Amino acid sequence: MSIAHATAVADEHLEVELVGARDALVPGQTAWLGLRLKHAPQWHTYWINPGDSGLPTKLAWTLPAGYAAGGIAWPAPKRFDLGELTNFGYDGEALLPVPIKVPADAAIGTRAHLALEAKWLVCHEECIPGKATLVLDLPIAQTAADAPYRQLFTDAYTAQPQPAPWPAQIRLAGGRIEIAVRGTDLPAAPHDVFPVQTRVVANAPPHIETRNGELVISFAKSDYFTTMPKPFDLVLLDRSARSWLLHADSTEPSTTHR
């Protein structure tokens, strides 16, 4: 079996590497590949919603016929406050995992050539764009074993928000936007909340309280707010680093508000 990672590309701010969770591809199964990001101290890259500035990391795949790549399974981000700006993203060592569908007729004993063009913005007090083309050749086999970066994938899976079981509504409350969450076993006090859609709420930390049996999350309205989204998606993070993806339905008509 081959080593399930490509040659890393690095500069003084960021090292990137295409890695696999397993050392081979199995016909008819979904394989997990990912972009490993190793940031220099105090530098970060961005989540799907980068916050007040920045750009999310973009991945473009070139795969053999019959293969298909899914979207990035984004782990819950961290919050970075830079002066008056609030950004969402990753620092230290992080992984952006992607599912790759392997066709059922992939020939055992051959190899698959998987190529990825990654583009990112890495920031501290300044921002530097970067890109790299990374190539990984993996054998097609009946079985696959864990690769050296399997634990990094496990950590990324653990950090992915789970579907929230609670109903929620988003509503306008003067110049603020409130999300009211109902149900049992609500997180008593989420450690942080991250909006998935941009230009709806301000990216500063929200006010969180329990009111009339509801968990109420209140944001300042974004300066760019125009229409209440249906639904509005939030990632709730508790103090033990568990996270949930919450879908809040709008109770407002789809009209422009100022």
Side-chain angles (χ1 to χ4, degrees):
M1 297 294 183
S2 63
I3 297 174
H5 58 87
T7 301
V9 174
D11 59 25
E12 60 182 314
H13 310 299
L14 184 69
E15 177 180 289
V16 298
E17 186 177 12
L18 177 59
V19 300
R22 310 277 279 175
D23 65 356
L25 304 174
V26 178
Q29 294 189 5
T30 296
W32 282 90
L33 272 61
L35 183 69
R36 184 180 72 90
L37 303 161
K38 187 175 181 180
H39 304 81
Q42 301 183 334
W43 290 77
H44 64 270
T45 53
Y46 292 93
W47 186 48
I48 187 172
N49 175 3
D52 289 329
S53 62
L55 294 168
T57 299
K58 301 289 187 182
L59 307 181
W61 294 88
T62 301
L63 303 174
Y67 288 71
I72 297 172
W74 295 93
K78 296 181 180 179
R79 180 181 294 272
F80 301 95
D81 294 317
L82 304 172
E84 297 182 353
L85 300 179
T86 295
N87 294 329
F88 309 135
Y90 309 97
D91 61 1
E93 187 173 29
L95 181 80
L96 302 182
V98 174
I100 304 292
K101 183 174 176 56
V102 181
D105 61 356
I108 291 174
T110 63
R111 302 182 71 85
H113 183 81
L114 312 169
L116 169 66
E117 183 182 67
K119 295 181 179 180
W120 62 85
L121 190 66
V122 60
C123 297
H124 174 35
E125 294 179 350
E126 60 180 313
C127 291
I128 300 174
K131 66 178 181 178
T133 299
L134 306 165
V135 175
L136 189 58
D137 286 298
L138 286 175
I140 313 299
Q142 291 181 337
T143 61
D146 288 349
Y149 285 114
R150 179 66 184 185
Q151 186 59 48
L152 200 58
F153 280 88
T154 299
D155 294 343
Y157 302 152
T158 301
Q160 286 170 22
Q162 300 302 306
W166 315 293
Q169 287 186 327
I170 180 173
R171 60 202 182 204
L172 284 172
R176 298 185 68 82
I177 293 178
E178 292 185 345
I179 295 89
V181 189
R182 304 180 304 279
T184 59
D185 299 322
L186 290 170
H191 176 62
D192 210 341
V193 182
F194 303 97
V196 176
Q197 288 97 330
T198 62
R199 299 191 171 200
V200 178
V201 300
N203 295 310
H207 175 73
I208 303 171
E209 64 176 313
T210 300
R211 187 195 310 162
N212 300 324
E214 296 179 332
L215 180 68
V216 179
I217 303 166
S218 174
F219 292 89
K221 191 190 301 182
S222 169
D223 292 339
Y224 303 98
F225 177 83
T226 56
T227 303
M228 192 75 81
K230 297 182 178 182
F232 182 55
D233 299 322
L234 299 163
V235 171
L236 276 62
L237 182 70
D238 74 7
R239 295 187 182 280
S240 66
R242 292 181 304 169
S243 60
W244 298 270
L245 179 62
L246 181 72
H247 300 292
D249 291 320
S250 172
T251 59
E252 299 288 332
S254 183
T255 55
T256 298
H257 302 269
R258 294 291 184 189

